[in-house]
């Protein structure tokens, strides 16, 4: 007997306004991901009650429709009405569902489907109650006031599960290959077989996702204290070239068990998160070793759009990663492989743990390299000295059969590690190699041009870095461009080598091209002077960083959504309640209104036109005696007297690049308002990417905190995940902040003629708890 009735499509108004305002589904693949995740949750709930069945999720993508079938717990007639057809209501916010390890708790239900579907049909049979129900609704007739969802009782078959069929608004709008690639990122580690058009896309071994490494060192970890808060069981492996692979289970954080596990590998960059194996989002986590891999924990919560983690989840992972970095460094220090790891040396310098640098090697004049710890042992048998210069006469003088002369590396961070370790042992005599200054000119003794340059540089350093300095000129030995010392007035004195090419260029530009001098002087201060005075910047200390964070917090607390953001949503709902628009119009307009933190790029401008002379200046003001490394914190390129409306700026292939970059994208307006102050401070830069997401992570030079900038695209950023540390090249104008786009993903950011690139933005502060960066 047919039993067909009509029920209204219902919405919990306050909840849905919140969801639409913050994280509405924007991806055309959201229907697939949301329904597959619901199917996965249904299977986990059924497995919690009964494991005597073979779980299966089958997805069929056709030209005009999509079908998702599972043999999970199913829904009763009442559950179908209260949870699937009621947006904002979820059946999974209960102890039984949480014990089953479900992924979703937001209760979007049918809402995700009507973004691209004109008709949705649900056939479901409950494993809890003997009910089988067929229901359907059409997008154009959805209503809050009238019954619009058909409900029909069917004969029970004894086979629980749910089948959802969505007829597409635009037939052919779902590309099968892209859909498989998109879904695979979320379900590859799921232990339930998931098929898309008969192709298995789940049950991928974790060793394939995070590959194992050739092992030179391996240790089993049995209930080990990873850090002050983290305890775990697992394995650590280190390869001959210092790649680290870490597997941790039985996680305990701050005394509380965390259900889940993690598998990380250094250099991979992208950290993918999951719950019960189902992918959530790529996490914006900073790691000295650029650890990447998979973190699967029940405590992690996605935002409503599932394209990002909640801020609490991000902060938890960042705190865990800081302890993991420290743990990996301590274990690596016991192996000879540490000598191959620049991140390890960076960590030593950042934390001042020079006592762990013993297995790093150092050059010995006329002999093979030896480890620092062996150099100390040798000092008990014969005279050992260390020398930081390159003068062949000095080297020859102090080298003999009876003594060792240790030659410090020319490059940091290795040199700093060597100095820090050897400096702890007075028996290792340091041969003086301090540069000397002759013909010193300062104050009233400066010529007109030098005085003007001195005054301008002192002003820039005071305004940009908050350091009170005097600038002098002289001839400095050893080819040194900049020396820093103190003067009786208490100020810091900066002495510039007037015979060096870069200083002579600056003086010449002042005399001949005064219009270009201002920007060149800023670039000179940033590139040449700053590395020598970075430790003097007030916010480089922990106390200074805390004060800066507090100032940013106060500013963020005063920042509210503008009237063009949240205020439009209630008015849209009022239009619907008054009958002025249909529910279909309501969904479309609410979706549009929720896109306020979206960046649309449809035009490209040239760096040369937006920031004149920048490329030329960068090539002119480089200090050859101060080699740069990717992980160092550097100031932004400041051009705060310049304005621009360009959202994307590029450098033509016929021109020199800027620090390896040819593409720079502007921060979205809201991020500019909230975090603009951060970029006035020196910072390091990391970029990781995967799927449709690129994550930019900027760490303050104190090492205490940072900003992550999450960009979700409509297209795939890259065929494979990647990324890591990149050299800081932020460009800061009066009304724009441009961040550098790595060449590997540049094509995903640059629109073709007539094309619009759309990016959804999420940005927030993160606390790293790390020590001061170099």
């Amino acid at each position: 007997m047919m039993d067909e009735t009509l029920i209204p499509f219902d919405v919990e108004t306050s909840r849905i306004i919140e969801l639409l305002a913050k994280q509405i589904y924007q991806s055309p693949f959201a229907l697939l991901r949301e329904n597959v995740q619901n199917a996965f949750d249904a299977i986990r709930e059924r497995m919690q009650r009964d494991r005597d069945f073979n779980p299966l999720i089958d997805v069929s993508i056709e030209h005009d429709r999509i079908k998702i079938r599972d043999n999970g717990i199913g829904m009763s007639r009442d559950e179908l009405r209260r949870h699937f057809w009621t947006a904002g209501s979820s059946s999974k916010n209960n102890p039984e569902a949480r014990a089953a390890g479900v992924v979703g708790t937001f209760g979007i239900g049918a809402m995700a489907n009507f973004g691209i579907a004109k008709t949705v049909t649900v056939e479901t049979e409950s494993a809890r109650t003997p009910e089988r129900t067929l229901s359907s609704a059409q997008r154009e007739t959805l209503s809050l006031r009238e019954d619009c969802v058909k409900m029909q009782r069917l004969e029970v078959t004894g086979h629980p599960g749910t089948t959802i069929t969505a007829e597409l608004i635009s037939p052919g709008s779902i590309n099968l290959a892209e859909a498989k690639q998109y879904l695979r990122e979320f379900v590859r580690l799921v232990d339930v077989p998931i098929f898309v058009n008969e192709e298995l896309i789940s049950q991928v071994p974790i060793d394939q996702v995070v590959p194992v490494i050739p092992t030179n060192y391996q240790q089993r970890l049995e209930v080990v204290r990873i850090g002050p808060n983290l305890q775990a069981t697992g394995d650590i492996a280190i390869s001959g070239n210092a790649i680290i692979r870490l597997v941790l289970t039985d996680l305990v954080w701050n005394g509380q068990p965390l259900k889940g596990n993690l598998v990380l590998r250094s250099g991979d960059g992208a950290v993918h998160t999951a719950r019960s194996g189902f992918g959530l989002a790529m996490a914006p986590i900073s790691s000295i070793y650029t650890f990447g891999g998979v973190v699967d924990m029940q405590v992690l919560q996605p935002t409503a759009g599932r394209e990002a983690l909640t801020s609490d989840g991000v902060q938890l992972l960042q705190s865990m990663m800081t302890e993991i970095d420290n743990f990996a460094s301590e274990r690596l220090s016991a192996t000879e492989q540490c000598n191959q790891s620049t991140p390890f040396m960076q960590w030593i310098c950042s934390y001042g743990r020079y006592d762990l640098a013993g297995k790093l090697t150092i050059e010995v004049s006329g002999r093979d390299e030896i480890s620092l710890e062996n150099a100390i042992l040798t000092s008990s048998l014969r005279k050992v000295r260390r020398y930081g210069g390159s003068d062949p006469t000095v080297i020859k003088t102090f080298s003999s059969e009876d003594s060792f002369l240790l030659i410090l590396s020319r490059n940091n961070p290795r040199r700093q590690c060597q100095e820090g370790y050897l400096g702890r042992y007075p028996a290792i005599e340091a041969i003086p190699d301090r540069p000397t200054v002759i013909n010193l000119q300062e104050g009233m003794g400066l010529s007109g041009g030098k005085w003007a340059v001195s005054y301008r540089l002192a002003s820039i350093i005071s305004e940009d870095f908050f350091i009170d300095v005097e600038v002098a000129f002289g001839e400095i030995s050893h080819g040194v461009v900049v020396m820093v010392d103190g003067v009786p007035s208490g100020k810091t004195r900066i002495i510039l080598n007037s015979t060096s090419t870069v200083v002579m260029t600056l003086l010449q530009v002042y005399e001949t091209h005064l219009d270009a001098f201002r920007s060149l002087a800023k670039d000179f201060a940033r590139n040449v002077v700053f590395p020598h005075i970075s430790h003097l910047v007030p916010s480089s200390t922990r106390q200074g960083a805390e004060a800066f964070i507090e100032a940013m917090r106060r500013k963020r607390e005063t920042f509210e959504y503008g009237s063009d953001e949240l205020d439009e949503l209630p008015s849209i709902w009022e239009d619907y309640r008054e009958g002025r628009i249909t529910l279909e119009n309501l969904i479309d307009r609410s979706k549009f209104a929720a896109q306020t933190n979206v960046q649309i790029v449809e035009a490209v401008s040239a760096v040369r036109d937006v920031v004149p002379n920048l490329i030329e200046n960068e090539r002119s003001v480089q200090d050859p005696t101060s080699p740069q490394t990717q992980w160092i914190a550097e100031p932004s390129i400041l051009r705060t007297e310049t304005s621009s409306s360009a959202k994307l700026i590029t450098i033509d292939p016929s021109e020199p690049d800027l620090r390896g970059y040819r593409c720079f994208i502007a921060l979205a307006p809201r991020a500019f308002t909230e975090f603009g102050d951060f970029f006035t401070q020196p910072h390091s830069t990391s970029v990781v990417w995967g799927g449709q997401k690129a994550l930019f992570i900027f760490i303050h030079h104190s090492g205490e905190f940072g900003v992550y900038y999450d960009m979700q695209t409509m297209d795939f950023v890259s065929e494979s995940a990647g990324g890591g540390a990149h050299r800081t090249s932020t460009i800061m104008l009066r009304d724009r902040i441009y961040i550098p786009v790595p060449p590997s993903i540049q094509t995903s950011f640059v629109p073709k003629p007539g094309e619009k690139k759309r990016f959804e933005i999420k940005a927030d502060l993160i606390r790293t708890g790390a020590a001061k960066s170099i």
Side-chain angles (χ1 to χ4, degrees), residues 44-237:
R44 292 196 68 87
E45 288 194 79
R46 184 178 176 186
M47 292 174 67
Q48 183 78 354
R49 299 165 58 94
D50 171 25
R51 291 188 172 271
D52 190 22
F53 76 106
N54 296 317
L56 176 68
I57 299 172
D58 186 64
V59 180
S60 173
I61 301 175
E62 302 174 18
H63 180 70
D64 61 346
R65 69 190 59 220
I66 294 173
K67 183 180 291 186
I68 299 97
R69 178 174 63 89
D70 71 75
N71 60 349
I73 196 74
M75 289 177 281
S76 67
R77 184 184 181 91
D78 182 60
E79 289 170 333
L80 187 60
R81 171 179 179 150
R82 288 190 300 110
H83 301 307
F84 185 84
W85 292 114
T86 301
S89 173
S90 175
S91 63
K92 305 171 192 175
N93 287 312
N94 59 71
E96 182 181 357
R98 285 191 287 271
V102 299
V103 179
T105 56
F106 286 97
I108 303 299
M111 182 63 70
N113 297 294
F114 287 114
I116 61 172
K118 62 181 179 181
T119 302
V120 177
T121 302
V122 183
E123 184 172 345
T124 183
E125 181 170 321
S126 174
R128 296 188 181 97
T129 61
E131 295 179 80
R132 190 175 186 89
T133 309
L134 177 67
S135 65
S136 64
Q138 294 184 344
R139 190 175 191 263
E140 62 183 12
T141 60
L142 293 176
S143 173
L144 288 178
R145 295 173 299 279
E146 300 177 3
D147 293 340
C148 62
V149 180
K150 295 180 180 180
M151 300 280 284
Q152 178 182 344
R153 296 185 190 277
L154 299 178
E155 184 178 345
V156 175
T157 66
H159 300 291
T162 301
T163 300
I164 296 177
T165 304
E167 295 184 32
L168 301 176
I169 297 172
S170 304
S173 58
I174 298 295
N175 179 282
L176 177 58
E178 291 183 355
K180 286 181 181 179
Q181 183 180 354
Y182 175 86
L183 269 182
R184 189 177 284 111
E185 289 295 315
F186 290 94
V187 306
R188 57 185 176 173
L189 293 175
V190 167
D191 55 2
V192 172
I194 299 177
F195 290 87
V196 176
N197 288 26
E198 301 183 348
E199 179 184 345
L200 180 66
I201 63 171
S202 61
Q203 298 181 314
V204 177
I206 187 65
D207 288 350
Q208 186 175 325
V209 177
V210 187
V212 295
I213 59 177
T215 302
N216 282 55
Y217 169 91
Q218 189 164 8
Q219 184 180 8
R220 175 66 182 167
L221 308 173
E222 295 288 354
V223 193
V224 172
R225 177 66 65 180
I226 304 298
N229 300 293
L230 181 61
Q231 175 184 298
T233 296
D235 293 276
I236 183 172

Side-chain angles (χ1 to χ4, degrees), residues 134-404:
L134 177 67
S135 65
S136 64
Q138 294 184 344
R139 190 175 191 263
E140 62 183 12
T141 60
L142 293 176
S143 173
L144 288 178
R145 295 173 299 279
E146 300 177 3
D147 293 340
C148 62
V149 180
K150 295 180 180 180
M151 300 280 284
Q152 178 182 344
R153 296 185 190 277
L154 299 178
E155 184 178 345
V156 175
T157 66
H159 300 291
T162 301
T163 300
I164 296 177
T165 304
E167 295 184 32
L168 301 176
I169 297 172
S170 304
S173 58
I174 298 295
N175 179 282
L176 177 58
E178 291 183 355
K180 286 181 181 179
Q181 183 180 354
Y182 175 86
L183 269 182
R184 189 177 284 111
E185 289 295 315
F186 290 94
V187 306
R188 57 185 176 173
L189 293 175
V190 167
D191 55 2
V192 172
I194 299 177
F195 290 87
V196 176
N197 288 26
E198 301 183 348
E199 179 184 345
L200 180 66
I201 63 171
S202 61
Q203 298 181 314
V204 177
I206 187 65
D207 288 350
Q208 186 175 325
V209 177
V210 187
V212 295
I213 59 177
T215 302
N216 282 55
Y217 169 91
Q218 189 164 8
Q219 184 180 8
R220 175 66 182 167
L221 308 173
E222 295 288 354
V223 193
V224 172
R225 177 66 65 180
I226 304 298
N229 300 293
L230 181 61
Q231 175 184 298
T233 296
D235 293 276
I236 183 172
I238 302 173
S239 71
N241 57 348
I243 295 175
I244 304 169
R245 190 175 189 269
L246 189 65
V247 180
L248 296 181
T249 60
D250 302 327
L251 304 172
V252 177
W253 180 258
N254 207 14
Q256 298 297 316
L258 295 179
K259 188 175 181 180
N261 59 82
L262 59 85
V263 182
L264 300 173
R265 175 172 157 154
S266 62
D268 281 10
V271 176
H272 298 272
T273 60
R275 289 178 70 181
S276 303
F278 198 98
L280 300 180
M282 194 162 60
I285 306 302
S286 173
S287 164
I288 284 179
Y289 293 94
T290 57
F291 273 118
V294 177
V295 178
D296 188 329
M297 296 194 304
Q298 287 296 305
V299 71
L300 298 178
Q301 294 280 351
T303 56
R306 303 196 198 287
E307 303 296 356
L309 294 180
T310 61
S311 297
D312 287 344
V314 171
Q315 188 56 67
L316 170 64
L317 291 181
Q318 182 60 68
S319 299
M320 292 177 67
M321 186 62 77
T322 299
E323 294 196 7
I324 288 170
D325 271 349
N326 296 344
F327 176 80
S329 299
E330 291 172 358
R331 294 303 167 111
L332 183 58
S333 71
T335 73
E336 293 180 356
Q337 285 70 43
C338 70
N339 192 54
Q340 308 297 320
S341 177
T342 298
F344 170 71
M345 299 177 214
Q346 173 201 348
W347 180 86
I348 283 181
C349 297
S350 296
Y351 284 84
R353 290 298 307 273
Y354 299 109
D355 57 303
L356 297 182
K359 293 193 179 299
L360 299 181
T361 61
I362 189 168
E363 179 186 351
V364 182
S365 177
R367 294 179 171 86
D368 294 334
E369 288 188 344
I370 63 171
S371 68
L372 294 173
E373 61 186 12
N374 282 340
I376 299 304
L377 292 174
T378 302
S379 68
S380 64
L381 304 174
R382 64 182 68 189
K383 187 66 175 178
V384 178
R385 300 180 177 89
R386 57 188 168 97
Y387 177 55
S390 57
D391 190 322
T393 303
V394 173
I395 294 174
K396 184 177 181 180
T397 300
F398 289 95
S399 299
S400 69
E401 290 293 327
D402 299 327
S403 66
F404 270 36

Side-chain angles (χ1 to χ4, degrees), residues 347-590:
W347 180 86
I348 283 181
C349 297
S350 296
Y351 284 84
R353 290 298 307 273
Y354 299 109
D355 57 303
L356 297 182
K359 293 193 179 299
L360 299 181
T361 61
I362 189 168
E363 179 186 351
V364 182
S365 177
R367 294 179 171 86
D368 294 334
E369 288 188 344
I370 63 171
S371 68
L372 294 173
E373 61 186 12
N374 282 340
I376 299 304
L377 292 174
T378 302
S379 68
S380 64
L381 304 174
R382 64 182 68 189
K383 187 66 175 178
V384 178
R385 300 180 177 89
R386 57 188 168 97
Y387 177 55
S390 57
D391 190 322
T393 303
V394 173
I395 294 174
K396 184 177 181 180
T397 300
F398 289 95
S399 299
S400 69
E401 290 293 327
D402 299 327
S403 66
F404 270 36
L405 180 62
L406 307 178
I407 309 295
L408 298 178
S409 172
R410 303 298 298 170
N411 299 316
N412 279 321
R414 182 179 292 273
R415 181 188 179 102
Q416 189 171 342
C417 289
Q418 293 168 341
E419 289 178 324
Y421 186 89
L422 297 174
R424 300 163 62 242
Y425 298 92
I428 308 291
E429 178 188 347
I431 298 174
D433 189 50
R434 181 172 175 80
T436 57
V437 181
I438 61 174
N439 297 327
L440 180 66
Q441 303 170 30
E442 56 185 333
M444 299 304 295
L446 291 171
S447 63
K450 287 182 179 178
W451 184 90
V453 171
S454 168
Y455 176 80
R456 181 60 190 148
L457 287 175
S459 299
I460 291 171
I461 292 167
S462 174
E463 293 168 5
D464 293 352
F465 307 132
F466 310 105
I467 305 172
D468 196 10
V469 301
E470 294 180 359
V471 178
F473 291 84
E475 297 175 21
I476 309 176
S477 65
H478 295 73
V480 171
V481 177
V482 177
M483 279 186 61
V484 177
D485 62 11
V487 291
S489 66
K491 290 184 178 182
T492 297
R493 180 171 64 179
I494 296 170
I495 305 172
L496 304 181
N497 187 348
S498 55
T499 64
S500 69
T501 302
V502 65
V503 174
M504 288 192 294
T505 299
L506 183 66
L507 292 168
Q508 184 178 4
V509 169
Y510 171 77
E511 297 290 352
T512 60
H513 297 86
L514 192 57
D515 56 333
F517 171 73
R518 179 182 175 86
S519 62
L520 184 66
K522 273 187 169 290
D523 291 332
F524 181 92
R526 172 173 52 83
N527 283 334
V528 180
V529 178
F530 175 78
H532 299 275
I533 59 173
S534 60
H535 61 288
L536 300 175
V537 178
S539 61
S540 67
T541 64
R542 185 183 186 93
Q543 293 77 13
E546 291 291 346
F548 187 73
I549 293 172
E550 185 58 32
M552 288 192 68
R553 281 191 183 134
R554 287 195 298 270
K555 182 172 182 178
R556 293 189 72 200
E557 288 169 0
T558 64
F559 180 85
E560 303 290 345
Y561 281 98
S563 60
D564 60 339
E565 296 186 22
L566 280 181
D567 291 353
E568 187 178 355
L569 286 164
S571 66
I572 293 172
W573 279 88
E574 184 63 27
D575 285 345
Y576 173 74
R577 291 189 178 281
E578 296 297 322
R580 291 190 287 269
I581 60 175
T582 66
L583 186 57
E584 184 177 9
N585 297 142
L586 167 69
I587 293 172
D588 287 339
R589 287 181 57 185
S590 296

